[in-house]
Amino acid sequence: MTPGVAQLPKGMCLRPESARALLHAERFARKALSPMDTAITIEFSSALAGSAQPYALFRKIWENTRRAWNYRVKQGKAHGTFDAIAVWEQPAHGPIHVHWLLRWSPLDRDDLERRIRRALKKLAPAMPDRCLMVQPAKTTSKFAKYMAKGIDAPYAEHFYLKHSPQGPIPHRRIIISRSLGPTARKIYQQKTGLSPI
């Protein structure tokens, strides 16, 4: 903790334990499993911002994507678990949005984008096309640090992060798939004898 730097109230920043969980999950995927390779940003329109609706909408999209991944695994078109991390932000200069890092076949990335756009049109028809950006995540460690930039300022230096206020979030700020969580890392270490991070 950096002395002389005031802490932000809960709900106004990414807590240090959440930042640690996010960074450890990304490192575990990269070093022990298979790196996440797709970065998605969904920016919610001002009509949706300020309500719980964006969170509920995103959870439906997350679940649809997870089911699609599991179906691809059954078909032999993908392998492994559904690995994903999401972080919510609402900076002073923009609307509420979510950054999402996940593993998806680069060959099927266009299909993933179509799938998400179709879900957005169904669930929130007023949202414009520009609200979604899907791109390759070339360096996931950098993207994870970018996702963690809303960390409470006194703890930023400890995590080698540059603090940038990301505003109030009225619900959970981060989501991490169970396949990247502490239990999964512990099981990996027990099975392999290797450090998961």
Side-chain angles (χ1 to χ4, degrees):
M1 187 166 161
T2 306
V5 180
Q7 286 185 259
L8 290 168
K10 195 173 182 179
M12 291 295 294
C13 62
L14 184 67
R15 306 305 304 160
E17 49 279 2
S18 295
R20 181 181 298 111
L22 187 157
L23 296 170
H24 282 184
E26 182 280 328
R27 198 173 305 141
F28 177 48
R30 181 168 34 94
K31 291 189 170 183
L33 299 173
S34 181
M36 293 175 281
D37 54 20
T38 303
I40 298 172
T41 298
I42 305 175
E43 185 181 277
F44 294 90
S45 68
S46 55
L48 294 174
S51 71
Q53 194 175 1
Y55 184 77
L57 197 158
F58 177 69
R59 287 305 307 213
K60 286 180 182 177
I61 292 169
W62 173 289
E63 279 304 308
N64 288 345
T65 306
R66 186 186 63 77
R67 281 194 299 272
W69 174 264
N70 290 339
Y71 181 70
R72 285 172 181 270
V73 169
K74 283 180 184 175
Q75 288 185 314
K77 294 181 179 178
H79 68 282
T81 53
F82 177 70
D83 301 335
I85 304 168
V87 175
W88 287 86
E89 298 178 352
Q90 187 170 334
H93 60 276
I96 191 167
H97 59 277
V98 63
H99 293 300
W100 188 12
L101 183 62
L102 71 154
R103 183 158 51 93
W104 197 271
S105 168
L107 298 174
D108 295 331
R109 199 171 282 133
D110 289 344
D111 178 64
L112 174 64
E113 183 170 349
R114 278 192 300 275
R115 186 179 291 279
I116 295 170
R117 284 194 187 281
R118 191 168 55 239
L120 284 170
K121 285 289 180 195
K122 183 180 176 184
L123 299 167
M127 285 179 65
D129 285 344
R130 64 173 168 72
C131 71
L132 174 67
M133 183 171 64
V134 179
Q135 59 189 355
K138 292 175 181 159
T139 311
T140 59
S141 58
K142 283 184 183 176
F143 193 74
K145 284 190 171 189
Y146 176 77
M147 291 170 79
K149 67 186 178 296
I151 190 171
D152 198 0
Y155 300 93
E157 192 176 311
H158 174 77
F159 290 97
Y160 303 100
L161 298 170
K162 185 176 178 184
H163 168 73
S164 176
Q166 295 305 309
I169 295 295
H171 46 70
R172 287 179 61 186
R173 191 173 287 264
I174 72 166
I175 306 167
I176 298 173
S177 60
R178 287 183 182 176
S179 60
L180 300 177
T183 302
R185 296 196 300 267
K186 187 176 180 181
I187 291 168
Y188 174 85
Q189 188 165 21
Q190 287 171 345
K191 282 184 176 177
T192 65
L194 302 171
S195 172
I197 53 172

